[in-house]
Amino acid sequence: MRNIVILISGTGSNMQAIAAAAERDQWPERFGARVAAVISNRPEAKGLAWAREHGLETQVVDHRAYATREAFDEALARVIDGYEQPQEPALVVLAGFMRILTPGFVERYAGRLLNIHPSLLPAFPGLHTHQRAIAAGCRVAGATVHEVTAELDHGPILEQAAVPVLPCDTPEQLAARVLSQEHRIYPQAIAQWLRRHRAVAA
Ligand code: GRF
């Protein structure tokens, strides 16, 4: 069975959508994969409570306890690696995980590290994507699921969804419209990834 490890920093609504899809669409039976743990770099992340209430294992690796980015990433990797299976490396899913990862970390999980970004990449990598899309006069915005590479918010695109930007949109209104699409495309992209990398021993 392949373990899926979801990394969050806040609300975890994408994590919820992924966990719900895994159950509804029977990922263990169909893909030999299960959501094994939710890990947060913030002990106060709201998503942790939801995960616990829904029977998911949770872990906290508080970035404030580490002097360097490298030390934090090393500690995080140790926790993730606790979910490795001999024949099945874990799939690591960043879902609103608000930390920049070191190249060493990205390299370690190359090909099995996914992220969702709230813009139509390659437009607007980084923060404040909705505000920037509105300021630029974009008529469409959206979200992108991609494989993580060393460069922030780059990497092969696995899935995208576009939404209209309406004339009087605030960044919050646009964010909500994009987020509802994130909840659709992230589980879909993960299911596609799992289908392509079907577990050997389910
Ligand atoms: C999402 O828009 C995600 O794309 C971005 O941060 C937000 C996290 O939302 N990186 P949630 O924690 O999944 O609710």
PDB file of all heavy atoms in Angstrom, residues 11-14 95-96 98 116-118 179 182, ligand 1:
ATOM      1  N   THR A  11      -5.803  26.076   7.021  1.00  0.00           N
ATOM      2  CA  THR A  11      -7.156  25.525   7.046  1.00  0.00           C
ATOM      3  C   THR A  11      -7.212  24.080   6.564  1.00  0.00           C
ATOM      4  O   THR A  11      -7.968  23.264   7.082  1.00  0.00           O
ATOM      5  CB  THR A  11      -8.077  26.370   6.132  1.00  0.00           C
ATOM      6  OG1 THR A  11      -7.833  27.740   6.413  1.00  0.00           O
ATOM      7  CG2 THR A  11      -9.525  26.041   6.345  1.00  0.00           C
ATOM      8  N   GLY A  12      -6.450  23.817   5.534  1.00  0.00           N
ATOM      9  CA  GLY A  12      -6.420  22.449   5.029  1.00  0.00           C
ATOM     10  C   GLY A  12      -7.658  22.057   4.243  1.00  0.00           C
ATOM     11  O   GLY A  12      -8.017  20.877   4.211  1.00  0.00           O
ATOM     12  N   SER A  13      -8.275  23.024   3.566  1.00  0.00           N
ATOM     13  CA  SER A  13      -9.484  22.639   2.820  1.00  0.00           C
ATOM     14  C   SER A  13      -9.123  21.742   1.626  1.00  0.00           C
ATOM     15  O   SER A  13      -9.898  20.854   1.268  1.00  0.00           O
ATOM     16  CB  SER A  13     -10.284  23.866   2.375  1.00  0.00           C
ATOM     17  OG  SER A  13      -9.585  24.600   1.408  1.00  0.00           O
ATOM     18  N   ASN A  14      -7.950  21.950   1.038  1.00  0.00           N
ATOM     19  CA  ASN A  14      -7.526  21.026  -0.027  1.00  0.00           C
ATOM     20  C   ASN A  14      -7.266  19.634   0.537  1.00  0.00           C
ATOM     21  O   ASN A  14      -7.635  18.636  -0.078  1.00  0.00           O
ATOM     22  CB  ASN A  14      -6.278  21.571  -0.732  1.00  0.00           C
ATOM     23  CG  ASN A  14      -6.626  22.588  -1.797  1.00  0.00           C
ATOM     24  OD1 ASN A  14      -7.238  22.253  -2.808  1.00  0.00           O
ATOM     25  ND2 ASN A  14      -6.270  23.837  -1.564  1.00  0.00           N
ATOM     26  N   ALA A  95      -0.343  20.913   0.414  1.00  0.00           N
ATOM     27  CA  ALA A  95      -1.698  21.449   0.294  1.00  0.00           C
ATOM     28  C   ALA A  95      -1.815  22.686   1.191  1.00  0.00           C
ATOM     29  O   ALA A  95      -2.179  22.588   2.349  1.00  0.00           O
ATOM     30  CB  ALA A  95      -2.721  20.394   0.684  1.00  0.00           C
ATOM     31  N   GLY A  96      -1.452  23.834   0.614  1.00  0.00           N
ATOM     32  CA  GLY A  96      -1.425  25.048   1.421  1.00  0.00           C
ATOM     33  C   GLY A  96      -0.293  24.988   2.441  1.00  0.00           C
ATOM     34  O   GLY A  96      -0.426  25.482   3.554  1.00  0.00           O
ATOM     35  N   MET A  98       2.956  26.423   3.564  1.00  0.00           N
ATOM     36  CA  MET A  98       3.524  27.730   3.283  1.00  0.00           C
ATOM     37  C   MET A  98       4.994  27.860   3.685  1.00  0.00           C
ATOM     38  O   MET A  98       5.387  28.806   4.372  1.00  0.00           O
ATOM     39  CB  MET A  98       2.680  28.820   3.972  1.00  0.00           C
ATOM     40  CG  MET A  98       1.212  28.797   3.594  1.00  0.00           C
ATOM     41  SD  MET A  98       0.939  28.916   1.809  1.00  0.00           S
ATOM     42  CE  MET A  98       1.200  30.667   1.584  1.00  0.00           C
ATOM     43  N   ILE A 116      -0.158  22.480  -5.144  1.00  0.00           N
ATOM     44  CA  ILE A 116      -1.178  23.256  -5.847  1.00  0.00           C
ATOM     45  C   ILE A 116      -0.880  24.717  -5.623  1.00  0.00           C
ATOM     46  O   ILE A 116      -0.501  25.128  -4.516  1.00  0.00           O
ATOM     47  CB  ILE A 116      -2.610  22.892  -5.408  1.00  0.00           C
ATOM     48  CG1 ILE A 116      -3.621  23.532  -6.347  1.00  0.00           C
ATOM     49  CG2 ILE A 116      -2.879  23.270  -3.938  1.00  0.00           C
ATOM     50  CD1 ILE A 116      -4.980  22.866  -6.379  1.00  0.00           C
ATOM     51  N   HIS A 117      -1.003  25.497  -6.706  1.00  0.00           N
ATOM     52  CA  HIS A 117      -0.716  26.925  -6.627  1.00  0.00           C
ATOM     53  C   HIS A 117      -1.925  27.685  -7.172  1.00  0.00           C
ATOM     54  O   HIS A 117      -2.446  27.325  -8.232  1.00  0.00           O
ATOM     55  CB  HIS A 117       0.547  27.245  -7.436  1.00  0.00           C
ATOM     56  CG  HIS A 117       0.927  28.682  -7.348  1.00  0.00           C
ATOM     57  ND1 HIS A 117       1.483  29.237  -6.213  1.00  0.00           N
ATOM     58  CD2 HIS A 117       0.788  29.694  -8.237  1.00  0.00           C
ATOM     59  CE1 HIS A 117       1.683  30.525  -6.411  1.00  0.00           C
ATOM     60  NE2 HIS A 117       1.274  30.824  -7.628  1.00  0.00           N
ATOM     61  N   PRO A 118      -2.359  28.735  -6.465  1.00  0.00           N
ATOM     62  CA  PRO A 118      -3.584  29.421  -6.877  1.00  0.00           C
ATOM     63  C   PRO A 118      -3.381  30.449  -7.986  1.00  0.00           C
ATOM     64  O   PRO A 118      -3.725  31.620  -7.843  1.00  0.00           O
ATOM     65  CB  PRO A 118      -4.080  30.074  -5.577  1.00  0.00           C
ATOM     66  CG  PRO A 118      -2.837  30.336  -4.797  1.00  0.00           C
ATOM     67  CD  PRO A 118      -1.853  29.246  -5.176  1.00  0.00           C
ATOM     68  N   LEU A 179     -10.526  28.635  -5.195  1.00  0.00           N
ATOM     69  CA  LEU A 179     -10.390  27.548  -4.215  1.00  0.00           C
ATOM     70  C   LEU A 179     -11.380  26.413  -4.485  1.00  0.00           C
ATOM     71  O   LEU A 179     -11.041  25.230  -4.346  1.00  0.00           O
ATOM     72  CB  LEU A 179     -10.561  28.094  -2.796  1.00  0.00           C
ATOM     73  CG  LEU A 179     -10.198  27.146  -1.646  1.00  0.00           C
ATOM     74  CD1 LEU A 179      -8.727  26.729  -1.700  1.00  0.00           C
ATOM     75  CD2 LEU A 179     -10.496  27.806  -0.285  1.00  0.00           C
ATOM     76  N   GLU A 182      -9.837  24.368  -6.935  1.00  0.00           N
ATOM     77  CA  GLU A 182      -8.700  23.617  -6.377  1.00  0.00           C
ATOM     78  C   GLU A 182      -9.204  22.299  -5.782  1.00  0.00           C
ATOM     79  O   GLU A 182      -8.582  21.247  -5.941  1.00  0.00           O
ATOM     80  CB  GLU A 182      -7.995  24.432  -5.291  1.00  0.00           C
ATOM     81  CG  GLU A 182      -7.286  25.674  -5.814  1.00  0.00           C
ATOM     82  CD  GLU A 182      -6.523  26.408  -4.720  1.00  0.00           C
ATOM     83  OE1 GLU A 182      -5.910  25.753  -3.871  1.00  0.00           O
ATOM     84  OE2 GLU A 182      -6.553  27.651  -4.714  1.00  0.00           O
TER      85      GLU A 182
HETATM   86  C1  GRF B   1      -4.874  27.427  -1.432  1.00  0.00           C
HETATM   87  O1  GRF B   1      -5.361  28.457  -2.257  1.00  0.00           O
HETATM   88  C2  GRF B   1      -3.565  26.925  -1.975  1.00  0.00           C
HETATM   89  O2  GRF B   1      -3.521  26.870  -3.352  1.00  0.00           O
HETATM   90  C3  GRF B   1      -2.642  27.991  -1.448  1.00  0.00           C
HETATM   91  O3  GRF B   1      -3.092  28.260  -0.144  1.00  0.00           O
HETATM   92  C4  GRF B   1      -4.475  27.950  -0.059  1.00  0.00           C
HETATM   93  C5  GRF B   1      -4.591  26.906   1.015  1.00  0.00           C
HETATM   94  O4  GRF B   1      -5.872  26.579   1.303  1.00  0.00           O
HETATM   95  N1  GRF B   1      -1.268  27.625  -1.567  1.00  0.00           N
HETATM   96  P1  GRF B   1      -6.203  25.309   2.224  1.00  0.00           P
HETATM   97  O5  GRF B   1      -5.268  25.337   3.433  1.00  0.00           O
HETATM   98  O6  GRF B   1      -6.048  24.072   1.401  1.00  0.00           O
HETATM   99  O7  GRF B   1      -7.623  25.562   2.659  1.00  0.00           O
END
